Amino acid sequence: MKAGLLFAAGIATAAAHPRRHQHPAKRQATEVDVVTVVDTVTALEPSVIVYVDGNGQAVSKSFYGAPATTPTDAPSSVAPSSYAEPTTESSSEAPPPAYSSSDSTPAPAPSFAPSSAPAPTSSSALSGDFSGYTLSYSPYNSDQSCKSQDQVNTDFNVISGYGMIRIYGTDCGQTATVLTAAKAKGMKLFAGVYDVNNVDAEVQLIINAANGDWSDFDTVAIGNEGVNDGRYSVGQVVSAIGTARSMLQAAGYSGKVVTVDTFVAMIANPQLCQASDYAAANCHAFFDGGVTAEDAGQFVLNQAQRVSEACGGKDTMITETGWPSDGETNGQAVPSPENQVAAVHSIRTAFSSNIVLFSAFNDKWKQNTASTFGAEQYWGIYGDAP
């Protein structure tokens, strides 16, 4: 998960700290390797963004002009997106431009029917009806080992009640284990391909897990934030979507196929949503730095509207959004249990559907870093896994 690359308008020098997904490497029988990527993005002046790697070496530069206009209508209903392993080569296409919250104008009242979420008056924002929402879930223990079917089932005893569960890859046999647990709770599956460069093999694992029955699959996502990170070019992702769609359709799947990226990358590269069955964008108000927890829902709605407009009015889903319960303060964004409750409540007030809450449990298998404000492990709205 990560936010768009954000800095306040009118400030000549600023540093943005996009969140970096971490994902356990492909697992062998007795050995687990972890690849952690920490990049830094530095805005040198209001119209120039220089992207640097973890060693401070510039890898690319992009320019941006006037901000996009906020559409007058909220995106229409959609259904619901995955991980990609980092590479050492930068994309052949320029990364998306930076975006500032000051670029957006106040959005009109959402066309989504607001949910009946209760006021956040306790340590939990989890009462009420969650059947219209999707929840992201990762089946890893804190030592990065794979969770067993029994462990996944135990987790789902806590998180049942959602309409759908989003996963990010095929390692750990997770398509099958999560599908089994979700199906038992009456929830659909939002499956994912981890490595766009290995799309054939990963899609085949999804096909194997389905075993001819696609009734509990809603969406298959090909890649997650790969263009925003510079791991893949737009062309690579679009090609992978085509490959995946052909394989899935040949196996009897008639559901949705998308790629997921940040709202910034989606706006800058509408080819991503044009190749997808709907626009799937991640958006985290926490990383803007100028948004409080109480205003998280309106911020995310504004960006959903911008994505929909950039994609020609295409159906749009926010495929990650949430708030950390711990970590370091980022401007007006303060991580705390109380603010996590407030943010989830705000998001639920702005959206009654078309949203993926991030994440089910604290991801203790990840590594906290300064670039993620020490909050990488603390996005679980249900706290630690049972």
Side-chain angles (χ1 to χ4, degrees):
M1 164 186 55
K2 61 186 73 59
L5 314 179
L6 314 174
F7 67 95
I11 299 178
T13 303
H17 299 275
R19 192 147 183 221
R20 292 287 178 251
H21 262 299
Q22 300 169 22
H23 194 285
K26 297 295 183 181
R27 291 172 171 77
Q28 303 300 322
T30 60
E31 182 177 358
V32 177
D33 294 326
V34 180
V35 177
T36 301
V37 178
V38 179
D39 295 337
T40 303
V41 181
T42 305
L44 298 179
E45 55 185 82
S47 60
V48 182
I49 303 300
V50 176
Y51 292 69
V52 298
D53 61 21
N55 296 318
Q57 301 299 311
V59 295
S60 61
K61 180 185 295 185
S62 65
F63 300 82
Y64 72 100
T69 303
T70 303
T72 56
D73 295 318
S76 56
S77 294
V78 334
S81 170
S82 273
Y83 290 112
E85 197 159 327
T87 65
T88 56
E89 298 178 356
S90 61
S91 167
S92 61
E93 300 181 38
Y99 172 74
S100 169
S101 59
S102 60
D103 291 343
S104 63
T105 57
S111 60
F112 305 107
S115 75
S116 57
T121 57
S122 70
S123 60
S124 174
L126 305 180
S127 57
D129 182 9
F130 275 77
S131 60
Y133 300 93
T134 301
L135 182 68
S136 66
Y137 172 77
S138 296
Y140 310 122
N141 293 304
S142 59
D143 63 357
Q144 295 142 6
S145 63
C146 301
K147 288 191 173 183
S148 67
Q149 183 69 68
D150 286 345
Q151 287 177 297
V152 173
N153 292 344
T154 298
D155 288 347
F156 272 65
N157 288 334
V158 176
I159 63 178
S160 60
Y162 289 82
M164 185 157 48
I165 295 294
R166 180 190 175 191
I167 57 175
Y168 292 82
T170 58
D171 59 326
C172 291
Q174 64 181 285
T175 308
T177 58
V178 176
L179 175 62
T180 297
K183 187 174 182 178
K185 298 294 184 180
M187 296 183 282
K188 297 286 187 179
L189 182 65
F190 187 134
V193 165
Y194 169 75
D195 184 0
V196 164
N197 288 327
N198 195 36
V199 63
D200 301 73
E202 295 217 27
V203 168
Q204 188 59 53
L205 290 174
I206 294 173
I207 292 171
N208 294 346
N211 195 28
D213 181 4
W214 295 102
S215 59
D216 294 295
F217 287 78
D218 182 274
T219 295
V220 177
I222 310 302
N224 186 77
E225 301 185 357
V227 171
N228 189 86
D229 288 351
R231 287 180 270 127
Y232 308 117
S233 69
V234 172
Q236 283 177 290
V237 174
V238 170
S239 176
I241 294 171
T243 298
R245 183 178 282 116
S246 295
M247 290 182 64
L248 289 163
Q249 288 177 347
Y253 175 71
S254 59
K256 305 171 187 71
V257 180
V258 302
T259 190
V260 176
D261 222 301
T262 63
F263 71 93
V264 177
M266 200 67 67
I267 291 168
N269 302 283
Q271 306 97 306
L272 296 173
C273 54
Q274 291 164 2
S276 300
D277 290 325
Y278 59 86
N282 295 346
C283 179
H284 294 281
F286 174 79
F287 290 104
D288 179 75
V291 181
T292 65
E294 292 79 6
D295 293 331
Q298 186 61 55
F299 175 88
V300 174
L301 178 61
N302 287 349
Q303 310 325 315
Q305 293 171 330
R306 295 181 70 229
V307 169
S308 182
E309 182 187 36
C311 294
K314 200 160 193 174
D315 288 347
T316 299
M317 175 173 242
I318 296 300
T319 41
E320 274 188 15
T321 191
W323 198 272
S325 62
D326 200 358
E328 301 170 6
T329 296
N330 175 27
Q332 295 184 53
V334 180
S336 71
E338 295 77 16
N339 282 343
Q340 184 181 58
V341 169
V344 171
H345 172 73
S346 176
I347 292 164
R348 290 183 64 198
T349 299
F351 293 83
S352 61
S353 61
N354 304 336
I355 204 85
V356 180
L357 296 174
F358 186 91
S359 179
F361 302 109
N362 289 329
D363 291 322
K364 295 299 183 66
W365 53 274
K366 293 182 179 180
Q367 180 180 354
N368 289 320
T369 66
S371 66
T372 59
F373 300 94
E376 190 73 14
Q377 297 179 345
Y378 304 115
W379 292 74
I381 60 176
Y382 291 87
D384 292 339

